[in-house]
Structures are given as structure tokens and as C-alpha cells.
Amino acid sequence: MPLVRIDLMGRRSDEEVDAISRAVHDAIVTAYGIPERDYFHIVTEHPPGRIIAQDAGLGFERSGAVVMIQIFTQRGRDQAAKQELYDGVAASLGRVGVAGEDVFLGYVENGPEDWSFGFGRAQYLTGELAVPGGGGA
């Protein structure tokens, strides 16, 4: 059950926002085999100049259409699985018009004790929810 934050610069139509969110979700579903309904996204649009994303010395320029993504998920996936996810997110976003240089992704791992789905309980710890794949949501 990844939690995904997507930050967008500039105004986009509701259709564009939905397409970006769906593209990211579809890539996660494909790479990690999570259920389709494990869809938890927070999408925030920012005025121009409120997202700063330079090239980190890689020699390319981003446009004003940068998409910054943070994926919070349970630990346990290897480097190959993460790379498959990164490739999938970039490809999926490319299909909805987001250039590869405008995709910035940060990946944060945690454990079953770090999730509460409501009622003040950590449902993976209480047994109300099974820990997916023995630890990798």
C-alpha cells in the first residue's frame, strides 16, 4: 500500500492531473503487483517558481512542467524491483506527455509499524490487515 505524493508546477486541467496520478499508480500496480484499489495519492499543484528542481549535475534542463513524486512504502524490495518501478513510472508518465527529464522521484521505505489506516491503530500490527508479501506493501 504505497502512499504517493505528487507535486506539480503550474495549473493543469483536472484531466491532466488525473492522467498523471493514474500513470504513476498504473506503474506501481504493474511493478509491484499491488491491488488496484490500493490507490492513495495526494496531488498538489504549486504556482510557478514554487518547485525548484535543477539537474543535480547530470547535464540536462527541466521544463516548467516538472512532476515531483514521493513514494512511501514498506521496506523489502530489492534494487532491481525499485529500478523496474522507476523505469515504469517514467514510461507511464511519458505516455501522458511528461518528458523524462521532468520526472523526479524520491522513494521512502518504512515498516508495518509505520502505518495506521484509521481508528488510531496500526492495522498491520494488530492483524486487521495482512502484511502484503510478508513485508512489502
Side-chain angles (χ1 to χ4, degrees), residues 53-132:
Q54 296 181 354
D55 73 357
L58 295 170
F60 61 86
E61 295 295 323
R62 299 183 197 278
S63 78
V66 66
V67 175
M68 298 192 84
I69 304 158
Q70 295 173 312
I71 298 175
F72 301 86
T73 191
Q74 289 191 38
R75 61 185 161 263
R77 293 186 178 88
D78 63 22
Q79 289 180 12
K82 292 175 189 177
Q83 187 59 58
E84 179 184 345
L85 174 65
Y86 305 154
D87 289 342
V89 167
S92 190
L93 284 170
R95 289 189 287 277
V96 299
V98 178
E101 64 269 16
D102 285 333
V103 178
F104 184 99
L105 192 152
Y107 191 92
V108 181
E109 295 182 315
N110 52 42
E113 67 277 8
D114 298 315
W115 296 92
S116 174
F117 295 88
F119 305 103
R121 295 189 299 272
Q123 285 86 354
Y124 288 135
L125 295 182
T126 65
E128 294 169 81
L129 285 174
V131 176

Side-chain angles (χ1 to χ4, degrees), residues 3-23:
L3 170 62
V4 178
R5 295 189 62 100
I6 302 171
D7 290 275
L8 308 170
M9 192 151 48
R11 289 291 304 149
R12 298 181 191 241
S13 71
D14 290 344
E15 293 78 18
E16 289 174 303
V17 171
D18 183 59
I20 289 168
S21 175
R22 282 293 330 168

